[in-house]
Amino acid sequence: MSLHKGPRPSRDDDRDRRRLAVNPFHAAANPLGGMTEAPPAHRLPDSPLPPESAYRLVHDELMLDGNARLNLATFVTTWMEPQAGVLMSECRDKNMIDKDEYPRTAELERRCVAMLADLWHAPDPATAVGCSTTGSSEACMLAGMALKRRWALRNADRYPGARPNLVMGVNVQVCWEKFCNFWEVEARQVPMEGDRFHLDPQAAAELCDENTIGVVGILGSTFDGSYEPVADLCAALDALQERTGLDVPVHVDGASGAMVAPFLDEDLVWDFRLPRVASINTSGHKYGLVYPGVGWALWRDAEALPEELVFRVNYLGGDMPTFALNFSRPGAQVVAQYYTFLRLGREGYRAVQQSARDIARGLAERVEAFGDFRLLTRGDQLPVFAFTTADDVTAYDVFDVSRRLREGGWLVPAYTFPPHREDLSVLRVVCRNGFSTDMADLLLADLERLLPELRSQPGPLIRDKGAATGFHH
């Protein structure tokens, strides 16, 4: 959640003078009545507004937001069927934590966990442990807490004197850096090298020691859409254990890929089929095809989640085991996840994800055909591809392309890669359900229209690369 400060002071430092403009037609009955007192922007108004007036004020201001369907930066679902929206509306007043008050909602959550355990090949789906979360960020925090506590229990004679560490690629989502900061864990990151844009298994194993709580493998890097080689990572850690006796578990951050690979890459072994994989998370609100925000965290079995982390609360008359950072949160998204599982099934998910991958691959090929760009990935893992300008392109850069596409409403992020590839800046396109072939054609047409103007520039126009994009994930 972003942190916000109060309003910036005006020149005369009078913050109360900023008021919202009220259109006379927004008044409920008497047009003049709605104009008697325009509400302040940064403090509570003194008196109520008619509901229609309040609605119009908020509605009109939100028109300045971008069109979510044209946002090719986000992995988050921007379209669902109307029936899902109706179900969510019917459940918006249900508090997910009140499992005794809303037992059927709790049952749907339990079924979703069981379905995911089966999808991810848990040894015994009936004994796998899992929960819904507000998104993958909370799910990763919970998984990290479990890894740290398991390590602390095994090293009770040295902890808290010894400092735990977590090994990951430099391409991890920022939530892992937050986890290490908040829970006082050393982040050991494997840098990018050459054309390898994610974790190297052997390099990760070399960073492990007796204080390593686990290694994070990313099934679908946000930087370029590529899968990290989880099976090779586990093999490298198996070899490490044979040499040193160190038994280091793996957590798979499958925020996106855990809802793609089971349907499109069935022969890829990345999940609980690997004994070293202790836990997996995913975002229901990404390729799980549900509006934000809902995530899922699953552990191989009860042993992988220390019992002392589970709170058993007598809440509203029932004994409720819970493992969460949040307490009260809406149940609507969990209901929507169950609806989507029920609605699509395996074949439906396969069709939706295959369509997204086909669109990504076709779009990547057509971008490459312009001759101005070089592809880093082709959309053949996550339905995501990253590309940069060709070596002979000097008139513009990726930040110019991102800026010009935004003029047409398209949000295509441009950003610089982390160490050791800060020299590389790319554009990235995320193809989600709802981004159709027709929309891809429109994007290509806009890009083709802009290229002559970009080629005629004397050079790249954006100097402050850090401020050139809102991409931070």
Side-chain angles (χ1 to χ4, degrees):
M1 187 66 68
S2 300
L3 291 176
H4 298 279
K5 298 181 179 179
R8 297 175 182 174
S10 60
R11 290 182 180 178
D12 59 2
D13 201 27
D14 184 358
R15 301 180 181 182
D16 288 341
R17 292 188 179 182
R18 173 74 173 94
R19 292 184 176 274
L20 301 171
V22 180
N23 188 316
F25 285 103
H26 291 176
N30 179 4
L32 294 179
M35 293 296 290
T36 56
E37 181 68 18
H42 297 118
R43 63 177 177 83
L44 283 171
D46 295 327
S47 56
L49 281 175
E52 181 61 25
S53 300
Y55 167 79
R56 293 306 310 183
L57 284 171
V58 177
H59 172 84
D60 289 355
E61 186 158 353
L62 290 176
M63 288 194 301
L64 295 175
D65 276 347
N67 185 330
R69 293 283 295 281
L70 302 183
N71 183 357
L72 303 182
T74 185
F75 288 78
V76 172
T77 295
T78 55
W79 182 87
M80 289 189 76
E81 293 175 311
Q83 292 86 346
V86 171
L87 273 174
M88 294 182 75
S89 178
E90 293 172 350
C91 297
R92 61 189 172 192
D93 59 344
K94 294 184 179 181
N95 188 352
M96 192 64 233
I97 207 66
D98 296 349
K99 291 179 168 54
D100 187 64
E101 184 74 12
Y102 307 115
R104 300 322 300 168
T105 302
E107 168 62 15
L108 298 190
E109 179 188 32
R110 189 192 67 80
R111 293 179 192 175
C112 288
V113 168
M115 290 176 180
L116 289 172
D118 177 67
L119 187 68
W120 296 338
H121 299 97
D124 181 3
T127 62
V129 181
C131 61
S132 66
T133 63
T134 51
S136 264
S137 292
E138 184 189 5
C140 291
M141 298 284 177
L142 298 181
M145 289 167 61
L147 290 174
K148 182 180 178 182
R149 186 58 60 91
R150 288 178 65 196
W151 171 85
L153 292 172
R154 293 195 305 267
N155 295 273
D157 57 328
R158 298 189 305 112
Y159 183 74
R163 187 185 183 193
N165 65 74
L166 181 67
V167 175
M168 64 196 88
V170 72
N171 57 304
V172 293
Q173 214 268 357
V174 70
C175 70
W176 287 107
E177 298 175 33
K178 289 182 179 181
F179 165 77
C180 290
N181 185 11
F182 296 165
W183 274 271
E184 298 181 328
V185 173
E186 177 191 356
R188 294 187 176 179
Q189 295 187 321
V190 178
M192 295 180 177
E193 298 290 351
D195 292 332
R196 176 180 56 76
F197 304 123
H198 53 226
L199 174 145
D200 173 70
Q202 190 56 44
E206 291 171 359
L207 289 177
C208 295
D209 58 25
E210 67 275 8
N211 295 327
T212 301
I213 65 174
V215 180
V216 177
I218 310 294
L219 197 71
S221 172
T222 59
F223 279 90
D224 63 357
S226 62
Y227 295 158
E228 290 191 332
V230 178
D232 292 344
L233 172 62
C234 289
L237 294 174
D238 289 342
L240 177 70
Q241 184 175 9
E242 291 179 7
R243 294 194 310 271
T244 66
L246 293 175
D247 185 8
V248 180
V250 168
H251 172 79
V252 178
D253 183 348
S256 294
M259 292 305 297
V260 174
F263 306 108
L264 302 187
D265 309 294
E266 295 181 79
D267 294 333
L268 180 68
V269 179
W270 61 272
D271 52 17
F272 289 127
R273 285 171 288 184
L274 298 166
R276 196 166 291 277
V277 172
S279 50
I280 302 172
N281 71 273
T282 197
S283 291
H285 62 232
K286 292 181 180 174
Y287 287 99
L289 308 180
V290 175
Y291 286 138
V294 61
W296 300 93
L298 268 70
W299 289 265
R300 168 181 293 277
D301 48 37
E303 183 181 353
L305 176 59
E307 174 64 24
E308 62 189 71
L309 290 177
V310 178
F311 281 77
R312 297 187 178 277
V313 183
N314 188 339
Y315 197 76
L316 296 179
D319 178 67
M320 177 191 62
T322 178
F323 183 34
L325 298 179
N326 296 287
F327 204 65
S328 295
R329 58 187 177 85
Q333 285 82 359
V334 170
V335 171
Q337 183 73 84
Y338 182 71
Y339 164 85
T340 307
F341 284 169
L342 196 66
R343 169 78 171 89
L344 292 178
R346 286 179 179 259
E347 290 305 315
Y349 264 96
R350 183 174 291 111
V352 169
Q353 313 301 35
Q354 186 65 60
S355 175
R357 180 179 283 181
D358 291 345
I359 290 170
R361 293 176 65 177
L363 189 55
E365 290 175 1
R366 294 168 70 186
V367 166
E368 185 180 41
F370 284 127
D372 290 52
F373 304 105
R374 175 172 63 88
L375 295 178
L376 276 67
T377 48
R378 297 179 171 273
D380 52 1
Q381 293 184 332
L382 287 189
V384 174
F385 66 96
F387 59 102
T388 188
T389 49
D391 293 339
D392 59 347
V393 173
T394 58
Y396 65 92
D397 60 16
V398 295
F399 299 96
D400 290 320
V401 177
S402 178
R403 174 180 56 84
R404 293 303 307 274
L405 285 174
R406 191 157 190 163
E407 294 172 5
W410 302 104
L411 184 57
V412 179
Y415 50 93
T416 301
F417 270 26
H420 295 153
R421 289 307 314 267
E422 298 97 331
D423 60 305
L424 180 60
S425 297
V426 305
L427 293 149
R428 188 200 65 199
V429 174
V430 177
C431 297
R432 307 178 307 278
N433 183 40
F435 181 70
S436 64
T437 302
D438 291 339
M439 294 177 70
D441 290 342
L442 293 172
L443 173 65
L444 260 295
D446 275 358
L447 181 57
E448 185 174 23
R449 176 180 56 81
L450 293 173
L451 280 177
E453 299 177 30
L454 291 168
R455 292 165 180 158
S456 66
Q457 290 181 178
L461 300 182
I462 296 179
R463 296 182 180 179
D464 185 359
K465 308 304 183 186
T469 177
F471 174 80
H472 298 292
H473 58 87

